[in-house]
Amino acid sequence: MSKPVIALVGRPNVGKSTLFNRLTRTRDAIVADYPGLTRDRQYGTGRTGNHPYIVVDTGGLSGEQEGVDPLMAGQVRSAIEESDAILFLVDGRAGLIPADEAIANYIRQFNKPTYLLVNKAEGHSHQLISADFFQMGLGQPFVISSAHGDNVKETIDHILDEVVTEEEEEKAFDLDEHPGIRVAVVGRPNVGKSTLINRMIGEERVVAFDMPGTTRDSIFVPFERDGQAYTLIDTAGVRRRKNIKEKIEKFSIVKAIEAMESCNVVVLVIDGSEGITDQDLTLLGLALESGRGLVIAINKWDNLTEDQRNKIKHELEFKLHFVDYAKKHLISALHGSGVGDLFKTIRGVYQAVMKKVSTSDLNRVLEQAVLDHQPPLIGGRRVKLRYAHLGGSNPPRVIIHGTQVDKLPQAYTKYLMNVFRKAFKWQGTPVFIEYKVTVNPYENRKSSFSSRRGKSESQSENLAVKRRKKKNTQQKRRTN
């Protein structure tokens, strides 16, 4: 099902970013600021109960200039337009001010469900702090504290219950209905993504047809190549051949997030002539967050000079060192060079992310990893990794049980990731490791035993004292 999108709107310093971090359970955005797209806009994902959602943090609006339209142009306007609900935050301690009313009047023009959140309410009466805001005509205000979490979960639950209607829930799609390997092609506008998409589905031996989108404007396109079934997830919409001339695509992070979460393998397209930009790194961050298999395609390679090629190779080595498990392809979507190899890698990554590994094989590898490199001492005690089992695939998730495993440093976890990736050929995919602390079932019994032992020893000492006293008394009597 398409995740609802919630936009946080309001004046500066009303607590939007604090609420964003609480909803996404992060200290900053899951995806870094997007230059040009986001001086004031960040995206993250959250979940409450059975409702996952996407939350967008926008920049502060002064509301003091004549007409709010200039202020809403650009990023804040885009966030509101792509949202399913608007959370309008105001400062409860400051009370209602004209800037809030100006922003509220503009928000009404979008005809989107709007919820008024009176923030910074800690230590105040909810009735008193919200009294002034009823006159805004946005319904019952929700009084919260984004800093302390007061009433935040209850408010979001209420909002999502209204936004996620029964009709929308019925639109939930079963990914099993989309055959073969699901591939999401993502990239910045004008990097050649559309050309690559049409190249992938437009060969003579490929049969492709448009299928109505199931998540916003994303299109699911089944096709076949070399006997392998695929479903291409195109966030921009696959254009018919007569419309291929359109070069610029409207970019949406929301669509990219949904496409990635619906696929098996993400193909990130980068324009080789422009190098690796901050926008590319933002999309890469989204791909890592989704946990899906990853392939990186450097496009327009045939048009690059030798200096440009050396520069992009240098950037691949140093800017993308943290995704060294992902294979990089140098392609030309326009002429088709390298695209065939791209399919080969996609198939290999899919096989890796869906691979099933037995518990015995996992434990054999874990045992050897510990022998080769012992875990560190924590508080003078050695961390013990007792056993492991597979917790899921796409991405592979290894659950390790043991004592003090929750205190293992990140460096050792990364070591284990690399060991498992190499052993089971989990190439092109992140490997997640979760730790479960093993509880010693005899710990309480040991404590009880020690207590009984201490009591028994005390009783023995008392008996020995009595015996010594009795013996001394008898000796004195014989002497007299």
Side-chain angles (χ1 to χ4, degrees):
M1 183 179 64
S2 176
K3 291 183 178 180
V5 181
I6 299 172
L8 307 182
V9 177
R11 294 184 294 108
N13 201 32
V14 294
K16 297 187 303 298
S17 294
T18 304
L19 179 59
F20 175 89
N21 291 338
R22 183 168 292 279
L23 295 179
T24 59
R25 298 181 182 180
T26 60
R27 291 189 179 273
D28 47 19
I30 289 179
V31 181
D33 284 348
Y34 197 105
L37 178 75
T38 68
R39 194 190 74 192
D40 323 275
R41 193 166 159 206
Q42 293 179 326
Y43 289 76
T45 58
R47 173 183 289 272
T48 177
N50 294 324
H51 296 322
Y53 56 89
I54 296 171
V55 58
V56 189
D57 183 20
T58 65
L61 304 171
S62 69
E64 297 174 355
Q65 299 181 18
E66 183 178 356
V68 186
D69 192 20
L71 298 175
M72 300 296 290
Q75 307 320 315
V76 180
R77 170 186 284 274
S78 297
I80 291 178
E81 288 177 342
E82 67 186 358
S83 70
D84 297 297
I86 303 169
L87 272 57
F88 179 23
L89 272 71
V90 294
D91 187 339
R93 292 181 299 193
L96 179 60
I97 64 174
D100 291 327
E101 294 181 315
I103 295 171
N105 289 334
Y106 190 85
I107 289 176
R108 289 190 182 94
Q109 300 179 28
F110 289 88
N111 197 29
K112 293 285 183 77
T114 302
Y115 300 86
L116 180 62
L117 274 58
V118 181
N119 194 25
K120 304 183 181 181
E122 58 272 16
H124 295 80
S125 167
H126 286 196
Q127 289 78 11
L128 291 177
I129 204 170
S130 63
D132 289 345
F133 296 98
F134 277 95
Q135 62 183 287
M136 298 180 72
L138 294 175
Q140 174 73 43
F142 294 87
V143 181
I144 68 167
S145 170
S146 57
H148 295 83
D150 300 344
N151 201 36
V152 170
K153 183 180 184 303
E154 294 80 1
T155 298
I156 298 300
D157 284 340
H158 175 85
I159 292 170
L160 289 176
D161 283 340
E162 292 188 352
V163 173
V164 184
T165 63
E166 292 182 3
E167 180 180 356
E168 287 173 329
E169 289 179 348
E170 289 176 358
K171 293 179 182 178
F173 60 89
D174 184 359
L175 290 177
D176 291 336
E177 294 178 0
H178 302 284
I181 304 173
R182 295 188 298 273
V183 182
V185 179
V186 299
R188 295 183 295 108
N190 208 30
V191 296
K193 181 165 71 78
S194 294
T195 306
L196 176 59
I197 288 169
N198 285 288
R199 170 68 62 179
M200 293 174 73
I201 68 172
E203 294 186 9
E204 294 181 2
R205 53 184 169 179
V206 172
V207 178
F209 58 92
D210 288 347
M211 178 179 289
T214 53
T215 59
R216 285 188 162 77
D217 296 332
S218 293
I219 304 295
F220 285 69
V221 184
F223 68 102
E224 184 175 313
R225 180 187 173 100
D226 297 333
Q228 171 65 57
Y230 297 86
T231 294
L232 180 69
I233 306 173
D234 173 31
T235 56
V238 176
R239 281 168 286 281
R240 300 183 185 278
R241 289 187 174 273
K242 64 181 180 180
N243 296 326
I244 290 179
K245 293 181 180 179
E246 183 180 354
K247 297 293 184 183
I248 305 296
E249 303 163 1
K250 182 179 179 181
F251 181 76
S252 171
I253 290 183
V254 171
K255 296 171 188 175
I257 291 174
E258 294 184 335
M260 290 177 186
E261 293 184 347
S262 301
C263 74
N264 303 119
V265 181
V266 175
V267 176
L268 173 61
V269 185
I270 295 174
D271 186 342
S273 64
E274 297 183 6
I276 300 173
T277 67
D278 289 336
Q279 296 179 1
D280 295 321
L281 294 175
T282 295
L283 282 171
L284 183 57
L286 286 169
L288 295 177
E289 196 67 31
S290 72
R292 300 304 186 234
L294 177 64
V295 182
I296 298 174
I298 310 299
N299 193 24
K300 307 181 183 180
W301 188 254
D302 53 336
N303 292 330
L304 301 184
T305 65
E306 191 63 28
D307 288 342
Q308 287 177 314
R309 291 184 177 186
N310 291 333
K311 178 185 176 183
I312 193 69
K313 288 178 179 178
H314 178 80
E315 289 184 343
L316 286 172
E317 182 178 355
F318 289 97
K319 284 191 175 182
L320 303 187
H321 64 88
F322 58 96
V323 285
D324 53 1
Y325 61 81
K327 191 165 184 179
K328 288 81 174 176
H329 282 267
L330 311 175
I331 69 168
S332 170
L334 182 62
H335 300 101
S337 59
V339 175
D341 293 335
L342 192 63
F343 276 100
K344 182 180 179 181
T345 298
I346 290 172
R347 290 195 301 270
V349 172
Y350 175 75
Q351 292 169 358
V353 300
M354 301 304 291
K355 181 184 295 184
K356 302 298 183 183
V357 178
S358 69
T359 300
S360 60
D361 287 340
L362 271 175
N363 284 289
R364 173 181 53 79
V365 173
L366 177 62
E367 182 180 355
Q368 186 61 48
V370 171
L371 287 175
D372 293 341
H373 182 24
Q374 285 285 329
L377 293 172
I378 305 293
R381 297 172 56 196
R382 181 75 64 186
V383 176
K384 293 183 179 179
L385 308 179
R386 299 189 181 279
Y387 65 96
H389 62 87
L390 194 64
S393 56
N394 199 190
R397 191 176 301 274
V398 180
I399 313 297
I400 299 178
H401 298 254
T403 56
Q404 297 194 99
V405 288
D406 56 328
K407 299 177 182 178
L408 277 171
Q410 184 63 32
Y412 197 83
T413 299
K414 187 173 182 180
Y415 160 71
L416 291 177
M417 288 179 180
N418 292 331
V419 168
F420 286 126
R421 178 178 286 115
K422 182 177 180 180
F424 301 113
K425 297 182 179 179
W426 279 330
Q427 300 303 314
T429 176
V431 177
F432 292 144
I433 293 182
E434 293 183 9
Y435 295 111
K436 300 289 185 181
V437 179
T438 303
V439 178
N440 186 351
Y442 297 101
E443 185 174 355
N444 293 332
R445 297 174 69 177
K446 284 181 179 180
S447 176
S448 177
F449 174 75
S450 299
S451 176
R452 291 197 304 270
R453 181 179 178 182
K455 184 177 180 180
S456 176
E457 289 176 349
S458 178
Q459 291 174 344
S460 298
E461 289 177 0
N462 291 336
L463 183 59
V465 170
K466 290 181 180 179
R467 286 176 177 173
R468 284 197 298 270
K469 287 182 178 180
K470 184 178 181 181
K471 185 177 182 180
N472 291 338
T473 302
Q474 290 175 348
Q475 289 178 346
K476 288 180 180 178
R477 287 177 180 175
R478 284 196 295 268
T479 301
N480 294 334

